Amino acid sequence: MSEFATWLAFLFGGAISGLIIAYAMDFRTRKGLLQGALGGVLVAVLYLLT
Amino acid sequence: MAAEVVSILSLIVFIFCVLGPLLMVGGRRLIPLPLQTLLVLGSLINILLAALGKWIDGGNLSELLSLPSAVGSNVILLPIMAMAGGFLVAGALEGSGGFAALRVVINKMRGTPLGMAGTLVFIAQFATIFAMPCGRIQAAALLPVIITLGPEGVRLITKKQMVVLVTALAVNAAASCGPSQIGGIGQIGEGFLQQLGLLTNAQEFGIMIGTAFTALFISLFITRFDMDEKIRLSEGPSELSVGTSATSGRSVGAAAAEDAAVSEQRDPSTRTAEEEAEIAKKFKAPLVGYISLGIFLLALIGAVFNLFGKTPITTTLLVATVLIMVIARLSIRQVIAGIILHPITALVAGFLMAGSLAVSGGFEALSNLLRWLAEFKILGIGLGVAGMIALFVQLETIMPMPCGRILAAALLPVVVAMGPASGWLPGASGLLSGDQLACVLAAFIVNAAASCGPSPIGGIGTISEGMVRSEIGYLRNAQSFGILVGMTPLAALTMRFLVLTHNPFTLRNLGLYFGLLAVVFIFSFGVVKLINPSRFKKRRTPTQEREQNVATWITFLLGGAVAGVMMSIALFLPDPSGLFAIAGTTPFLTTLAQGAVGGAIAGALLLAT
């Protein structure tokens, strides 16, 4: 359960951070924001795995 | 009596050494010496002071002669060796084309569902994924990717996107040496806590969010306002300039809007095969580069997950280096070229200063000073322990050194002395429980690691500023904001609610954690968006210059206050376990207020220095 919580927090944080960075770089369409969030999730997964 | 005077004098020497290079007098640095040189000189002065104090107090000759060896014994070899191992493998990767292979892989990511936006997010946050002992390695490897993609390269990203990306990358790379498992600053703290890897997740989470806040700040708060004037990066003969020949006459907000339009035009899916082939030509790597990258990843994963038994990290890295050398037929010279002397000398100088402070009583003086700060009151109102800690954890970014290790090595013993094991440092405060200490260490270390980003005296941020040809210090505030509001408090919150409460795990903690995260997100986005100077007027005027300054001060004061409140919650929110008790009988709400004031002072000092 605790591992699950860590993963949940990182995935949520990763998606939000990706969203914010994409927004900051003027990717304001739904597709651009979604891609940013996806990039953030990938980053979060790699942060946890390495 | 002599010992007390010496301890205070040695603390003054330390503060002078640290602040001297940062202070400007008449447009020149007060002390134009390299920081390491100054710290070594300061250490020597402290040793002499300590010898003088002992002599006056009737110490014998053998006591005096043992002082230099006592200082030398403070230099810890393990992080130095691990860092050197990291640099060697980085040199081997550069020499064999490993970093070129990495650039090819990143370029290919644009064609995946991640698209351009996801790829840029990945680049911004990449440095902490495979964290090196010094962020400069990752920055040096990745900045050519950004240059190639930018307006002076293949023009896949706009000038504004490039500014945002290099700023985010700089702060992420700077902070990445905190959680690095191959000689990172965090390992010093983990050594004190005797649990390798304990502080990693908390730091990484803070870095992830802090990087995003930095990007947000530079994008909304700064670039719209004066990007055209203060960043001399060429737009290049790109589609950016189509129909915008009168760039200088436009409002900055309009420029940003056009940039946004261009960035949407630049969706890779709209590019022809010929254009993509042209871009791909600029990203090439030999086969041996891919192999060496694979060896490095295997070594890193093996070191992190103990795949090779109890082999020391340095040994694993050296074996990987030798393997890459053999496969790529590299010379020793090529591998040694990867060593960056700056962080190594910074660490040694920091350790020497720490040792000199230990023998001269400087740590005791600093501990007493912090205790005094916590107890000092005017009309019954004072910072308290919560306010003192909210201020102290931001100290490294307030005094940003070119390498965070300098102050970390010198100050970590004082941080640890706040915890329960205070017997080894007489006069230390023992203000915190073991778990509270772990939260403070996570926050302090990530702040220390990231502080080399905004440092104006050779920090990683200055590399980015050079890249976009901006004024020195132009990107500093954005990085400082990300560290102040994102990295530092979130590392402490993650430590408290995720790492330390694993056993027993409670939904209450998880709910609290997500609630607090939401508060920080909403606050940061709101404050940057609402107190945005470019909203006031469309054209730049002297009045608006003042408005920008006022807006920056308000943002930092509010940001610092929120960070301080989050630190206080992380440390002192009552818990059924009783491990997070408030020192003394201070009510919790008062503790929050004290944290807010301490944090706001930290925010003000961040701008003032």
Side-chain angles (χ1 to χ4, degrees):
Chain A
M1 186 63 188
S2 56
E3 281 293 307
F4 172 74
T6 306
W7 274 91
L8 191 66
F10 266 76
L11 292 179
F12 172 75
I16 296 286
S17 68
L19 204 71
I20 292 173
I21 295 174
Y23 180 85
M25 286 197 278
D26 288 335
F27 290 98
R28 305 276 167 92
T29 62
R30 195 177 299 171
K31 183 185 173 190
L33 292 172
L34 201 65
Q35 286 177 335
L38 195 63
V41 167
L42 177 66
V43 166
V45 170
L46 290 171
Y47 274 14
L48 276 176
L49 289 179
T50 54
Chain B
M1 182 62 190
E4 283 177 11
V5 174
V6 163
S7 67
I8 293 167
L9 284 178
S10 65
L11 189 60
I12 292 170
V13 168
F14 168 62
I15 293 170
F16 181 75
C17 288
V18 169
L19 284 182
L22 291 173
L23 297 178
M24 305 285 283
V25 177
R28 289 187 174 186
R29 296 204 181 284
L30 181 63
I31 305 174
L33 280 175
L35 201 63
Q36 285 91 328
T37 311
L38 201 58
L39 283 171
V40 172
L41 284 175
S43 305
L44 289 173
I45 292 170
N46 281 349
I47 294 170
L48 288 175
L49 284 172
L52 186 68
K54 282 194 187 298
W55 178 67
I56 292 171
D57 283 346
N60 57 37
L61 188 64
S62 65
E63 264 185 279
L64 300 185
L65 291 176
S66 69
L67 283 176
S69 61
V71 173
S73 67
N74 201 68
V75 178
I76 307 167
L77 278 180
L78 179 66
I80 298 172
M81 295 300 289
M83 198 189 335
F87 284 142
L88 286 177
V89 82
L93 278 175
E94 185 61 47
S96 64
F99 283 134
L102 180 66
R103 292 194 276 270
V104 175
V105 172
I106 288 177
N107 182 48
K108 286 201 183 298
M109 286 173 73
R110 289 186 299 111
T112 67
L114 285 179
M116 191 58 168
T119 305
L120 295 183
V121 169
F122 186 81
I123 293 173
Q125 302 267 21
F126 179 82
T128 305
I129 296 174
F130 298 112
M132 294 280 181
C134 178
R136 286 174 175 82
I137 301 169
Q138 304 274 33
L142 287 175
L143 286 176
V145 181
I146 301 173
I147 293 171
T148 313
L149 295 177
E152 292 178 354
V154 295
R155 304 190 298 277
L156 275 175
I157 57 175
T158 63
K159 177 178 172 180
K160 181 186 172 187
Q161 286 171 332
M162 186 161 162
V163 173
V164 173
L165 191 56
V166 295
T167 315
L169 173 70
V171 79
N172 190 280
S176 68
C177 70
S180 171
Q181 288 300 297
I182 49 175
I185 298 179
Q187 287 189 314
I188 309 175
E190 288 161 0
F192 279 120
L193 296 170
Q194 299 179 4
Q195 260 185 290
L196 195 63
L198 182 71
L199 305 175
T200 306
N201 276 357
Q203 290 182 78
E204 284 180 340
F205 193 87
I207 293 169
M208 190 164 67
I209 307 300
T211 304
F213 287 174
T214 298
L216 188 69
F217 191 92
I218 191 80
S219 170
L220 296 188
F221 210 94
I222 295 178
T223 58
R224 275 192 185 191
F225 187 61
D226 49 17
M227 186 170 70
D228 289 341
E229 289 172 40
K230 294 198 174 170
I231 296 178
R232 289 178 291 280
L233 175 74
S234 157
E235 298 271 9
S238 69
E239 292 167 38
L240 264 175
S241 57
V242 175
T244 58
S245 53
T247 306
S248 56
R250 288 173 312 168
S251 74
V252 182
E258 280 166 22
D259 274 5
V262 171
S263 73
E264 295 306 331
Q265 287 171 23
R266 289 296 185 178
D267 190 321
S269 62
T270 63
R271 293 190 163 268
T272 65
E274 288 79 19
E275 281 174 320
E276 279 297 334
E278 194 62 32
I279 293 165
K281 273 186 196 170
K282 295 182 186 282
F283 293 95
K284 276 185 179 172
L287 177 63
V288 75
Y290 293 97
I291 296 171
S292 60
L293 190 62
I295 291 171
F296 166 66
L297 293 180
L298 187 67
L300 199 67
I301 291 166
V304 172
F305 291 103
N306 287 326
L307 296 183
F308 312 120
K310 293 194 172 179
T311 315
I313 287 171
T314 316
T315 311
T316 309
L317 292 175
L318 281 180
V319 170
T321 306
V322 171
L323 267 177
I324 295 171
M325 279 179 76
V326 171
I327 291 169
R329 296 181 183 175
L330 297 178
S331 65
I332 297 276
R333 183 188 288 263
Q334 282 174 295
V335 175
I336 288 178
I339 294 181
I340 307 173
L341 279 180
H342 191 282
I344 295 180
T345 54
L347 190 56
V348 174
F351 279 141
L352 283 177
M353 178 51 87
S356 77
L357 286 172
V359 299
S360 61
F363 283 146
E364 282 177 65
L366 188 55
S367 284
N368 289 333
L369 181 69
L370 292 174
R371 181 180 274 277
W372 173 83
L373 194 63
E375 292 172 353
F376 178 74
K377 285 180 181 171
I378 299 173
L379 300 173
I381 302 167
L383 277 181
V385 178
M388 181 271 287
I389 288 177
L391 174 59
F392 185 76
V393 291
Q394 307 277 1
L395 193 66
E396 292 243 10
T397 309
I398 292 170
M399 299 190 288
M401 301 285 111
C403 180
R405 285 165 211 271
I406 297 169
L407 279 185
L411 290 178
L412 272 172
V414 177
V415 183
V416 175
M418 292 180 194
S422 57
W424 62 277
L425 182 56
S429 38
L431 294 168
L432 305 169
S433 70
D435 283 359
Q436 287 170 324
L437 176 66
C439 294
V440 174
L441 276 174
F444 181 81
I445 287 171
V446 79
N447 189 284
S451 67
C452 72
S455 171
I457 47 175
I460 293 179
T462 55
I463 305 173
S464 298
E465 284 160 357
M467 258 190 67
V468 296
R469 296 197 283 284
S470 72
E471 290 172 4
I472 289 291
Y474 184 72
L475 308 179
R476 186 180 170 190
N477 281 354
Q479 297 178 69
S480 297
F481 182 79
I483 298 167
L484 172 77
V485 186
M487 293 186 191
T488 310
L490 288 181
L493 284 177
T494 306
M495 201 68 206
R496 162 76 193 266
F497 292 110
L498 277 187
V499 180
L500 293 176
T501 52
H502 268 181
N503 191 20
F505 172 79
T506 62
L507 275 176
R508 171 186 174 270
N509 280 332
L510 192 64
L512 271 170
Y513 180 67
F514 276 103
L516 293 168
L517 277 187
V519 170
V520 176
F521 282 136
I522 292 167
F523 165 78
S524 299
F525 193 80
V527 80
V528 174
K529 188 90 178 155
L530 294 176
I531 312 176
N532 183 345
S534 70
R535 289 168 60 89
F536 301 158
K537 290 188 186 77
K538 284 293 179 191
R539 296 196 67 81
R540 188 177 162 80
T541 62
T543 313
Q544 198 175 26
E545 186 84 37
R546 277 199 300 276
E547 284 171 349
Q548 188 190 26
N549 287 336
V550 171
T552 308
W553 274 95
I554 293 171
T555 307
F556 269 72
L557 287 173
L558 288 176
V562 168
V565 168
M566 292 299 152
M567 279 302 301
S568 295
I569 292 174
L571 294 177
F572 302 114
L573 182 72
D575 187 85
S577 66
L579 294 172
F580 292 91
I582 302 169
T585 53
T586 316
F588 181 60
L589 279 178
T590 308
T591 309
L592 291 185
Q594 289 173 334
V597 174
I601 294 173
L605 289 174
L606 266 173
L607 273 182
T609 55

